[in-house]
Amino acid sequence: MTSQSVQSRRLTESGMGELLSLPPTVTPEGIGKQVREAAVNSGCVLVRERSLDQDEFLRLVAAVGDKVEYKLGEGRADLLMLNASRDKDKVVTGRGPLPLHTDGVLVGTRTDLIILYAVDFKDTPGSGETYVVDQMAAWKEMPESLRSVIEERDFEYRVEEPDFYPTAPAGWYAVPNFRDYGGGHRALNLSTGYQADSEPRSWSVRVPGMTAEESRSFLAELDGFLRSPRYTYQHRWQSGDLLLINNQRTMHGRTPISPDGIRLLWRGQVAEVA
């Protein structure tokens, strides 16, 4: 780490994450290089009180790495506005929860780093928050009853928001539960699924060979284990927060946004991080 940044603390009991303090004089390119290094090493990194306009955010994303190349239904890989839309057909950019997941799982595209910047945020505690899970530590400590199912049965998905994922297959399709990044680094590549039938959903997930109830119960148990306090950092946003998430080492999700909540984040995605 350069002398311009200060390592403050890890964000989870398992040792994931890093809080960085950077002087206000650091350029967007300088921020990008430093947060990339920290996220590669620690899983995710948080920098507070940064003032970025859209051009500066794009410069920061470009400094982190090459943007992911795939077609989204809206926005771009280097700039997607998560604006808490009230359109009932919007889920990813809407107001409901997003379950614990790996970015790129539905479209089969490798996403290595995710950059989130809070342009504006005002909401009640617990609402509109992003949670990040140390999946590497969780996998090492996972009970065999969960581990064996993940190893033996690739989960199946069905896209429920096709306008956002225009290249995803129609109907149910299987996705490998692991992604091999080379060099002996294998990581979970999955989603735990939505918890309530009434929630607007961007996708559905099931475990093959199980009944619907068995699958729902298993995914809920898996979600509960992964999101236990030992592995989870849940971030309450403040305007000006920058959060970089290493998609190789973590999984993440979002709590629902309250009816009166304001939540505008910019998101960028970067691929091919060693």
Side-chain angles (χ1 to χ4, degrees), residues 1-2 6 21 44 63 70 99 109 113 134 140 159 164 176 186 191 224-225 236:
M1 199 62 56
T2 73
V6 178
S21 176
C44 74
Y70 64 86
T109 302
L113 296 174
D134 182 356
K140 291 178 183 178
V159 167
F164 191 82
R186 187 180 73 153
S191 168
F225 173 77
R236 175 159 177 76

Side-chain angles (χ1 to χ4, degrees), residues 27-221:
T27 65
E29 290 81 3
I31 296 171
K33 291 176 182 177
Q34 293 195 53
V35 294
R36 172 192 168 107
E37 178 185 350
V40 168
N41 292 331
S42 66
C44 74
V45 59
L46 171 64
V47 180
R48 291 194 179 275
E49 297 182 344
R50 307 309 303 192
S51 178
L52 300 172
D53 61 26
Q54 193 171 114
D55 176 69
E56 290 170 329
F57 178 77
L58 289 170
R59 287 162 51 196
L60 188 155
V61 172
V64 173
D66 296 331
K67 67 180 180 180
V68 173
E69 295 293 342
Y70 64 86
K71 181 177 175 55
L72 296 171
E74 58 184 287
R76 311 192 309 255
D78 58 347
L79 180 60
L80 173 67
M81 294 192 181
L82 300 170
N83 60 0
S85 171
R86 294 185 183 278
D87 185 337
K88 62 180 180 61
D89 294 324
K90 304 289 187 183
V91 183
V92 172
T93 59
R95 305 184 70 83
L98 288 181
L100 192 60
H101 64 280
T102 307
D103 268 16
V105 65
L106 297 176
V107 292
T109 302
R110 174 170 169 169
T111 300
D112 289 341
L113 296 174
I114 304 153
I115 304 102
L116 295 173
Y117 176 70
V119 181
D120 194 9
F121 183 87
K122 298 179 185 68
D123 208 344
T124 56
S127 299
E129 299 181 357
T130 296
Y131 50 88
V132 186
V133 165
D134 182 356
Q135 61 136 304
M136 304 302 291
W139 175 251
K140 291 178 183 178
E141 300 170 6
M142 187 175 292
E144 185 62 24
S145 59
L146 298 176
R147 177 190 291 267
S148 61
V149 174
I150 294 173
E151 288 182 323
E152 296 168 5
R153 308 185 193 188
D154 288 338
F155 296 175
E156 295 176 341
Y157 298 85
R158 184 179 65 199
V159 167
E160 311 289 359
E161 192 180 13
D163 289 345
F164 191 82
Y165 301 103
T167 63
W172 289 99
Y173 59 100
V175 175
N177 287 342
F178 298 93
R179 181 180 286 275
D180 186 353
Y181 289 96
H185 175 43
R186 187 180 73 153
L188 292 174
N189 181 58
L190 52 83
S191 168
T192 59
Y194 290 80
Q195 298 297 309
D197 291 338
S198 59
E199 293 172 345
R201 58 186 59 203
S202 191
W203 63 84
S204 295
V205 56
R206 68 186 184 188
V207 182
M210 292 185 177
T211 66
E213 183 55 39
E214 288 171 340
S215 178
R216 187 180 299 109
S217 177
F218 173 83
L219 292 169
E221 182 181 357

Side-chain angles (χ1 to χ4, degrees), residues 232-272:
T232 302
Y233 169 65
Q234 185 157 316
H235 182 62
R236 175 159 177 76
W237 289 98
Q238 300 175 27
S239 298
D241 283 354
L242 178 72
L243 185 67
L244 197 77
I245 300 171
N246 185 337
N247 200 49
Q248 293 186 12
R249 295 185 55 180
T250 70
M251 298 171 67
H252 65 283
R254 176 183 80 208
T255 63
I257 300 155
S258 70
D260 297 324
I262 297 171
R263 186 185 194 269
L264 174 57
L265 306 185
W266 291 338
R267 187 194 77 180
Q269 294 176 320
V270 168
E272 304 304 323

